[in-house]
Each structure stands twice: as structure tokens, then as C-alpha cells.
Amino acid sequence: MNATKTKHFVWQPILLILTLLVIIVLTLFGPDERTLGGTLSLVLLHGAWVWTGKVCFGLAVLAGLAALIWRTRAHWLHLTRALAYSGLFFWLTYLPMSLLVMQLSWGGFFFDEPRWRIPFLFGVVAVLLQAGLWLFNYPILTALGNIVFGIALWWQLGGLQNVLHPEAPIATSDSTNIQGYFILLLVLSLIFAVQLILWLFKRLRQTTPPK
């Protein structure tokens, strides 16, 4: 690896950490709300976080389709993997965040809440799926696995019924400050995701050539 590539590899994790720190600081010093109080910032972050994970898995579907169409172009395979791995990172970190929000907002855990139960099941499936795809390392299987998983996730989450979880709390909020703050967290989360995807993509392109 030459000096330019080495410098690039060093800067990418640094930028990732800096972006994450900005997100954490904004969450710690975010706005309050009469009902949720200081918990509001964490509630907004967990919403932005899960949407970012959904976007990653959705884009992994598109990259997987491209990998099936253009099988000789390995970068599509690396991209669908990088997107799926990034989506998995957001999903697995969203789940404990969701538990914390549940505890702080409702005063306990309600594991039958569909907004928790279904994402948790998809998290378990995602871990097992990516582990299996990594072990087999078969391009067509990887592309198909990411396509099926991403479509199933979006389809299932789109039809969820709420029990305690409010219906579209950000969209129905009367506060433009809350909506603007959520959009800011979402944009920063997406920027963090792009940085993570690019870092994983470059590592995969160098270390895991397809069969």
C-alpha cells in the first residue's frame, strides 16, 4: 500500500469518529419537550438511526440487483456487502438504543410491541444471514440474500401496527424545532453511513475478491 492510500485509510476512521462525536454531542445537548423532557433527543436519534439502517438495507437491494445483472463487475458485489454490513451496524446499535428509549419513555420494557419485536427478529436474521453469506462467499448467493432480506424488511416494517409506540410522532408534531432537529440528526446519520459504507467498500475491494 502506497503512502497516499495509507493516509486515506487513516483519515477515513478519523472522519467516522468525528462525525459520530458530533451526533453524540447534538444528542446530549438537544431540545427538551414537556412530556419526554431530556429523553426527546435520544428518541429522535433512535428514529434517525433506524431510518438510516433501512436506507442501507434498501440500497443493498439495488446494489444486489446490479451485481446480478453485471456479474463481471465485482464492485457491485462489494457495494451490496458494504451496504448490508453498514445496515447491520445501524440495526444492532439501534436495538439497545430502542430498549433504553422504551425504559425512559414508558418506565419499563414491552417486548410485545411490534416496533421492537419485528426489528429484533430481523436483527437476528441479519446476523445469521451475513455470517452465512460471508462463510460461503458465493457472489450470486450474496446478491440474492441481500435482495430478499432488504425487500422483506421494508415490506414487514411498512405494515407494522403500533401498541404503545406513537404513530409517526415526528411527522405529526406541531413543533418545527423538533422536526428540524430530527432532520439534522437524520442527515448526520446518513453522512456517517456514507463514510462507513465507503470505508467498508474499499476494504472489501482489497481483501475479499469474489470467486
Side-chain angles (χ1 to χ4, degrees), residues 47-113:
W49 215 247
V50 72
W51 267 104
T52 304
K54 287 174 65 176
V55 168
C56 289
F57 283 128
L59 292 176
V61 172
L62 300 180
L65 287 170
L68 289 179
I69 296 170
W70 296 289
R71 296 184 191 178
T72 58
R73 300 185 180 180
H75 60 268
W76 288 116
L77 180 65
H78 298 319
L79 183 58
T80 191
R81 282 174 168 161
L83 285 161
Y85 293 165
S86 298
L88 183 58
F89 167 81
F90 279 94
W91 214 256
L92 293 183
T93 49
Y94 152 77
L95 289 173
M97 197 186 306
S98 181
L99 286 177
L100 181 58
V101 167
M102 202 186 296
Q103 174 65 38
L104 294 175
S105 302
W106 303 339
F109 301 120
F110 184 53
F111 295 115
D112 255 354
E113 171 64 48

Side-chain angles (χ1 to χ4, degrees), residues 171-197:
T172 57
S173 174
D174 295 328
S175 173
T176 54
N177 288 336
I178 291 176
Q179 291 175 336
Y181 192 77
F182 172 76
I183 291 172
L184 177 61
L185 287 175
L186 179 59
V187 169
L188 286 171
S189 299
L190 290 170
I191 291 173
F192 180 76
V194 169
Q195 293 172 336
L196 180 60
I197 291 161

Side-chain angles (χ1 to χ4, degrees), residues 194-211:
V194 169
Q195 293 172 336
L196 180 60
I197 291 161
L198 290 175
W199 182 67
L200 287 171
F201 174 75
K202 288 175 181 176
R203 290 188 65 87
L204 287 168
R205 191 172 56 180
Q206 291 188 359
T207 60
T208 56
K211 291 182 179 179

